[in-house]
Amino acid sequence: DAGVIQSPRHEVTEMGQEVTLRCKPISGHDSLFWYRQTMMRGLELLIYFNNNVPIDDSGMPEDRFSAKMPNASFSTLKIQPSEPRDSAVYFCASSLTGAATNEKLFFGSGTQLSVL
Amino acid sequence: GQQLNQSPQSMFIQEGEDVSMNCTSSSIFNTWLWYKQDPGEGPVLLIALYKAGELTSNGRLTAQFGITRKDSFLNISASIPSDVGIYFCAGPAGDDKIIFGKGTRLHILP
């Protein structure tokens, strides 16, 4: 079975450029989560969706970050304009139902973002 | 907000040694989760705990749900090279969020 698929695996860009990260959740999963991982702050929840609807985006750092889930099989996380402090590993995860009822999150392999 | 504190931050051990790590919270959790992240990959769920005092094993791994519901422990017996990675505790916070500790990095010396 295919797991959560993220692309690209690595992204190197220059400050000020737009960056789009992509995620395909596991088929049949209702919830999708975007996390950011850094050495200093660990794994931070940025935003999560349930049935394609954003439920909580309080973790999104600022207006430069936006996320969409146009359908059940695709989500994007966009940073515009990107800054060096956005450099991190970005993970997408999905779960069968909401995290509170089914705690098993399945993570993708992440996108390593470097903003120069 | 709720936070999970893990200790130690990192460990350097010899192959074959047992490992112990823990996770504490300032507030009560009703579920404790332990994830492992291999280098270059996303975290994978190892063990889930649902009841205070519960002790659950998964192979060489054993985790316990503290009776105060504010802590949890993970033990690894007879460590092997593939145990290297970052171990995270996690738990549900609020409606549908899962929050993570900052992790314990396990290194195994040759």
Side-chain angles (χ1 to χ4, degrees):
Chain A
D1 288 341
V4 175
I5 299 172
Q6 290 187 247
S7 63
R9 282 300 305 267
H10 303 275
E11 176 80 34
V12 180
T13 190
E14 291 186 345
M15 182 173 64
Q17 296 297 307
E18 178 180 294
V19 174
T20 300
L21 311 181
R22 297 172 175 80
C23 175
K24 176 178 168 54
I26 293 173
S27 177
H29 281 194
D30 285 343
S31 294
L32 182 141
F33 305 80
W34 283 100
Y35 284 87
R36 177 172 67 178
Q37 185 178 30
T38 60
M39 286 289 290
M40 289 295 293
R41 302 168 76 107
L43 273 165
E44 301 174 277
L45 178 63
L46 300 178
I47 185 172
Y48 73 93
F49 296 83
N50 187 257
N51 291 318
N52 313 337
V53 175
I55 303 300
D56 187 338
D57 64 354
S58 60
M60 295 286 261
E62 48 197 272
D63 292 346
R64 297 185 297 105
F65 285 68
S66 62
K68 293 182 180 179
M69 191 164 186
N71 57 62
S73 59
F74 184 64
S75 176
T76 59
L77 178 67
K78 185 177 293 187
I79 309 172
Q80 165 65 18
S82 58
E83 296 182 3
R85 61 191 167 123
D86 301 331
S87 298
V89 181
Y90 290 81
F91 285 102
C92 175
S94 69
S95 69
L96 191 60
T97 60
T101 54
N102 181 338
E103 304 85 358
K104 295 179 183 177
L105 293 183
F106 294 84
F107 282 81
S109 296
T111 295
Q112 172 81 59
L113 174 64
S114 298
V115 183
L116 306 177
Chain B
Q2 289 173 295
Q3 283 189 322
L4 296 174
N5 300 305
Q6 289 190 245
S7 65
Q9 285 188 314
S10 63
M11 304 180 71
F12 292 81
I13 63 168
Q14 299 280 350
E15 183 178 348
E17 286 186 17
D18 296 343
V19 173
S20 291
M21 61 188 77
N22 66 41
C23 183
T24 60
S25 168
S26 57
S27 56
I28 288 173
F29 274 70
N30 293 316
T31 300
W32 285 93
L33 310 167
W34 285 93
Y35 282 79
K36 183 199 176 194
Q37 183 179 22
D38 287 328
E41 297 297 330
V44 174
L45 181 66
L46 296 174
I47 292 179
L49 301 160
Y50 301 105
K51 195 165 31 173
E54 179 182 353
L55 189 71
T56 297
S57 293
N58 177 3
R60 293 177 297 105
L61 276 62
T62 302
Q64 183 161 24
F65 193 139
I67 56 173
T68 66
R69 294 199 282 159
K70 291 185 177 181
D71 57 10
S72 180
F73 307 88
L74 177 69
N75 296 314
I76 306 172
S77 62
S79 58
I80 59 177
S82 61
D83 292 334
V84 165
I86 307 175
Y87 291 81
F88 293 100
C89 62
D95 293 335
D96 275 340
K97 297 185 207 186
I98 296 288
I99 62 171
F100 286 78
K102 290 191 178 178
T104 292
R105 294 176 181 271
L106 180 62
H107 305 268
I108 297 183
L109 301 170

